[in-house]
Amino acid sequence: MTDDKLLLMIPGPTNVPDRVLQAIAEPSVYHRGEQFSSMLKESVEGLQKIIGTEEPVIVLTSSGTGAIEAAISNLVNPGERVLAFHTGKFGERMGDIAAMYGAEVHWWESKPGQAPDPAEIADWLSDNPVTAATFTFNETSTGVQQDLQAMSEVFTEAGVMSIVDAVSILGGAPVRMDEVGLDAVAAGSQKALMLPPGLAFVALSKPAQQKAAQSTNPHYYFDLTAAIEKLADGQTPYTPAVNLVAGLREAVRMMLQEGLEDVYLRHRCLGTACREGIARMGLEPLVDNPGLASSVVTAVKMPDGLDSSELVQRLRDNDRILISGGQGALKGKIFRIGHMGCCQIDDLCRTLSAVAARLADMGYEADAEDAANAASVAYERCREENDG
Ligand code: PLP
């Protein structure tokens, strides 16, 4: 078997449905022609529904970090005070980018697997004014899904511009940007949106668009004001990845056909099922508060004395399933299962059963069939409880 037969159960890139792959494989179209404009327009209309905004959604040819850098560099000027969060690798990346663009960054400490407390942030902000806050909706390195509404309320109340990294969760949980009152949402294509890597998305609130238009940072490729102007004509400033946009249109169509609420419910129930499966193996999630447990990725503590890098390798070699290990200080100590995009319960059960079998090979007693069954039952129960 070759690498292309691997089942990707990592938190991105994810498995790409055949329909999307076929759309990408169509001949390239001219990016200044009518065919591309209509493709982009339909994709953007779909993304507006997925992000929950009436504002334009800028489609960039880059990975997710490009969208984050674009949002931060257009909205944060040198010398401005920014609040950033040590929640994990991606929360830290946002603060580092802000610092690189000349912001005075204030770091909020947080333990891995925990989330900052919005009430404490509100308290702190009353004595420490900042112009912007950068945070992850879903911290992929730990599996914490922030309470977006609570965070947004704190920042709106304090007049702070909220810049959100939704890279690993857009399409897997509702963002409701306008309703919640977020100023910038950044995302990437290769996660819950079921596309290969290569596209990134940014939406800005009206105040954020105004601020971006007066940005004092230099921009060329990532000038969001220029991108918004071009989008009004159904175009992008520079040659976009036209084939990926064809795939994007197809992915958006698939999500709307399934129904966004159903897509979100499927993800939430996959998260519930995954936690049930690992509990049945006697393992603990890194995130002990179920209210913060991610719908799209679950981080699991390794049994004492065992290294998650070995588990990842065994799953890849024996089962042709790819899961992730931990990052930074969590390397070797946790493994992460991504359950996002076109992932179905059967994919998850196959993965859990393989995890249990390989742990057993490594000397930790776990029952593969039992873990998969528990996940499947939990998934059905979750759907029944929430359907309709
Ligand atoms: N932010 C989060 C939350 C992520 O999960 C990732 C990638 O895993 C990124 C940012 C970076 O995205 P990219 O690798 O597409 O630049």
Side-chain angles (χ1 to χ4, degrees):
M1 254 197 232
T2 54
D3 255 10
D4 59 2
K5 299 279 188 194
L6 276 176
L7 176 66
L8 298 181
M9 297 297 287
I10 50 176
T14 58
N15 304 295
V16 179
D18 286 347
R19 259 178 76 173
V20 175
L21 288 174
Q22 277 155 16
I24 291 170
E26 290 292 315
S28 297
V29 298
Y30 177 42
H31 63 290
R32 301 287 176 223
E34 187 43 46
Q35 219 181 330
F36 179 75
S37 290
S38 95
M39 204 183 257
L40 183 64
K41 188 164 175 285
E42 186 181 336
S43 303
V44 167
E45 282 169 5
L47 286 169
Q48 285 173 313
K49 293 192 180 103
I50 296 167
I51 297 178
T53 186
E54 291 189 353
E55 301 307 325
V57 179
I58 301 150
V59 177
L60 297 166
T61 301
S62 83
S63 78
T65 306
I68 293 166
E69 177 162 349
I72 294 174
S73 67
N74 279 258
L75 296 178
V76 174
N77 293 318
E80 289 183 0
R81 289 158 58 92
V82 169
L83 179 61
F85 295 86
H86 269 302
T87 44
K89 180 174 168 164
F90 298 107
E92 279 151 26
R93 183 176 295 180
M94 295 186 93
D96 290 345
I97 293 173
M100 188 166 283
Y101 279 93
E104 188 188 314
V105 176
H106 294 261
W107 286 102
W108 192 276
E109 295 306 323
S110 198
K111 291 210 178 87
Q114 294 181 7
D117 178 355
E120 282 178 22
I121 300 170
D123 219 32
W124 184 85
L125 284 173
S126 57
D127 294 327
N128 301 277
V130 298
T131 56
T134 60
F135 63 98
T136 48
F137 180 12
N138 184 71
E139 180 52 68
T140 324
S141 59
T142 61
V144 169
Q145 185 174 326
Q146 278 281 352
D147 182 340
L148 207 49
Q149 175 123 24
M151 291 291 270
S152 179
E153 276 167 13
V154 165
F155 297 128
T156 305
E157 181 69 21
V160 173
M161 201 155 263
S162 46
I163 305 176
V164 180
D165 169 348
V167 169
S168 58
I169 196 163
L170 186 72
V175 173
R176 296 180 288 126
M177 172 175 165
D178 291 356
E179 191 188 322
V180 166
L182 302 168
D183 287 297
V185 173
S189 53
Q190 76 276 21
K191 313 263 184 183
L193 292 172
M194 311 189 290
L195 287 155
L199 291 181
F201 316 102
V202 188
L204 301 180
S205 69
K206 286 222 159 56
Q209 289 174 47
Q210 282 155 10
K211 184 147 192 213
Q214 287 156 15
S215 167
T216 59
N217 275 318
H219 312 283
Y220 197 99
Y221 194 72
F222 286 140
D223 180 341
L224 295 182
T225 306
I228 291 171
E229 275 168 22
K230 266 298 195 195
L231 188 57
D233 300 332
Q235 291 188 11
T236 55
Y238 312 105
T239 313
V242 289
N243 292 58
L244 287 180
V245 177
L248 171 64
R249 177 174 64 177
E250 199 57 32
V252 161
R253 281 180 181 169
M254 285 179 71
M255 290 174 72
L256 296 178
Q257 276 163 10
E258 184 176 349
L260 290 183
E261 289 311 316
D262 279 351
V263 172
Y264 301 145
L265 179 60
R266 174 166 55 80
H267 281 89
R268 190 144 54 84
C269 292
L270 284 171
T272 304
C274 191
R275 287 192 299 284
E276 189 61 37
I278 60 143
R280 195 58 73 98
M281 291 181 221
L283 299 176
E284 280 177 42
L286 182 66
V287 179
D288 53 15
N289 174 355
L292 295 173
S294 169
S295 294
V296 291
V297 58
T298 301
V300 187
K301 292 182 195 165
M302 273 304 276
D304 282 344
L306 299 183
D307 187 326
S308 63
S309 316
E310 187 182 339
L311 177 66
V312 170
Q313 201 175 332
R314 282 178 183 260
L315 252 85
R316 191 193 58 207
D317 296 346
N318 287 281
D319 308 284
R320 309 306 294 154
I321 298 173
L322 206 57
I323 60 168
S324 292
Q327 293 167 302
L330 293 170
K331 194 168 185 326
K333 298 192 174 113
I334 60 165
F335 64 91
R336 292 172 299 146
I337 298 178
H339 31 81
M340 60 174 84
C342 61
C343 182
Q344 302 293 334
I345 184 63
D346 289 350
D347 302 321
L348 181 63
C349 288
R350 193 182 137 197
T351 305
L352 288 166
S353 151
V355 165
R358 291 321 134 219
L359 282 174
D361 293 348
M362 290 165 73
Y364 177 85
E365 220 170 287
D367 183 330
E369 203 177 321
D370 194 36
N373 283 344
S376 171
V377 169
Y379 181 79
E380 289 313 325
R381 193 185 323 119
C382 172
R383 292 215 61 131
E384 275 163 27
E385 282 168 7
N386 293 284
D387 254 341

